[in-house]
Amino acid sequence: MGLIISLAVSAQNRPDPQPSAETNEKFNIGMAGYTFRNFNLDQTLDMMQKCDVKYLCIKDFHLPLNSNEKEIADFHAKLASKGIKGYAVGPIYMKSEKEIDNAFEYAKRVGVKLVVGVPNYELLPYVDKKVKEYNMHYAIHLHGPDMDLYPDADDVWENVKDLDSRIGMCLDIGHDTRNGKDPVEDLKKYHTRVFDIHIKDVTGNTKAGYSVEIGRGVIDIPAFVKMLREVGYTGMCSLEHERNMDDPLQGIAESIGYFRGIITATK
């Protein structure tokens, strides 16, 4: 009986879990909504809760671009009930001025100040105009060797460096690597225009490289975390998990856990 009581007391006195590793960093960990393209919003939030991730970049398959005020309010309420906040919208592909108009108006209704977008090159002057009009930041998502548009950070920089300073990039470290670039050096060079980051890992620095759990690929994650601190990055590092997308929870948990472990180990 004494042993049972002792075990019960011991269990009651166990300390609470420590705060997430990023709690004392300038940056936060989030999730890119694209990760959950095969899941509804309830399933998405359940997986995020299990991994203790509190920020979501909103994709239009969870909140359509034509959503009305009530639908948006209900969406935010559902996120808040799980302790989660939508911090941006996108990526949104934009091939016309009308699509750009729709995207900015959508972001305004949703109540975020960051649009992650992929505009055709010739539309960048119009994006510049809308950024000034709406006072929002606009992060161009780069796509590696899979698309002609914005293959890497160098390409985004060359196309936005003379535009409004609120136009920059969503630095996808996996796609940047697959285009033969070094995301650590690119973060260092272009940090003043890096407004969002998609974290992931890949198996190689060519088009043949493919997405894997963070820590299983070739990207120097410890060096990247150190560079986040060196440049004073204050945005999101959102996991975009693109492996086993029909059953991603284990890979998400492994990737988030590894990234948090590196944050702790490199302090």
Side-chain angles (χ1 to χ4, degrees):
M1 178 64 73
L3 177 60
I4 294 174
I5 294 173
S6 176
L7 289 173
V9 171
S10 177
Q12 291 171 359
N13 291 335
R14 289 174 180 169
D16 292 332
Q18 294 186 14
S20 298
E22 68 272 20
T23 299
N24 296 316
E25 301 289 347
K26 292 182 178 180
F27 58 88
N28 278 300
I29 292 176
M31 288 297 307
Y34 180 74
T35 299
F36 305 105
R37 67 178 185 179
N38 296 323
F39 298 90
N40 63 35
L41 183 60
D42 289 323
Q43 293 167 322
T44 294
L45 300 180
D46 180 61
M47 284 187 269
M48 290 182 64
Q49 271 198 311
K50 287 176 178 175
C51 297
D52 193 25
V53 178
K54 303 183 184 303
Y55 300 96
L56 175 68
C57 188
I58 302 164
K59 277 294 288 180
D60 55 359
F61 47 69
H62 286 146
L63 185 66
L65 269 68
N66 61 356
S67 297
N68 60 38
E69 290 186 7
K70 182 182 185 306
E71 290 167 334
I72 291 170
D74 290 345
F75 176 89
H76 284 311
K78 181 170 284 191
L79 264 62
S81 72
K82 304 293 186 179
I84 293 169
K85 179 180 180 180
Y87 75 90
V89 295
I92 302 172
Y93 293 81
M94 304 174 193
K95 298 181 180 180
S96 68
E97 290 185 359
K98 177 62 175 173
E99 289 180 339
I100 293 172
D101 290 341
N102 292 342
F104 275 89
E105 192 57 33
Y106 170 68
K108 180 180 178 180
R109 294 198 314 277
V110 173
V112 297
K113 299 294 287 184
L114 174 64
V115 177
V116 182
V118 188
N120 286 1
Y121 288 119
E122 69 272 12
L123 293 171
L124 283 170
Y126 194 71
V127 171
D128 187 76
K129 175 183 175 182
K130 303 307 281 190
V131 162
K132 293 180 173 73
E133 179 183 341
Y134 283 80
N135 188 27
M136 290 183 181
H137 282 77
Y138 189 97
I140 297 174
H141 186 277
L142 55 93
H143 281 87
D146 298 322
M147 288 179 58
D148 293 332
L149 279 173
Y150 312 110
D152 54 41
D154 289 337
D155 184 76
V156 176
W157 171 261
E158 288 301 319
N159 281 282
V160 307
K161 63 183 180 181
D162 297 323
L163 300 177
D164 190 285
S165 62
R166 288 165 290 190
I167 303 175
M169 70 183 76
C170 171
L171 177 59
D172 185 307
I173 66 175
H175 288 320
D176 201 46
T177 299
R178 292 178 60 247
N179 213 52
K181 306 296 183 175
D182 180 351
V184 179
E185 287 302 310
D186 284 345
L187 176 60
K188 183 177 183 178
K189 287 189 292 185
Y190 305 133
H191 65 91
T192 59
R193 294 289 187 101
V194 176
F195 303 140
D196 196 24
I197 295 175
H198 281 177
I199 57 172
K200 60 183 63 167
D201 212 340
V202 292
T203 59
N205 60 357
T206 68
K207 187 174 182 177
Y210 58 89
S211 183
V212 291
E213 292 81 1
I214 293 180
R216 295 195 184 201
V218 300
I219 298 177
D220 190 342
I221 301 298
F224 190 78
V225 169
K226 291 176 183 177
M227 188 57 68
L228 289 169
R229 295 191 185 108
E230 182 177 321
V231 302
Y233 178 69
T234 60
M236 293 289 168
C237 292
S238 285
L239 175 66
E240 188 175 48
H241 186 68
E242 297 176 299
R243 188 180 189 199
N244 298 331
M245 295 187 76
D246 290 329
D247 185 20
L249 179 57
Q250 180 175 329
I252 292 170
E254 180 179 333
S255 294
I256 293 292
Y258 182 91
F259 198 77
R260 283 177 168 152
I262 294 299
I263 290 172
T264 299
T266 55
K267 283 187 183 298

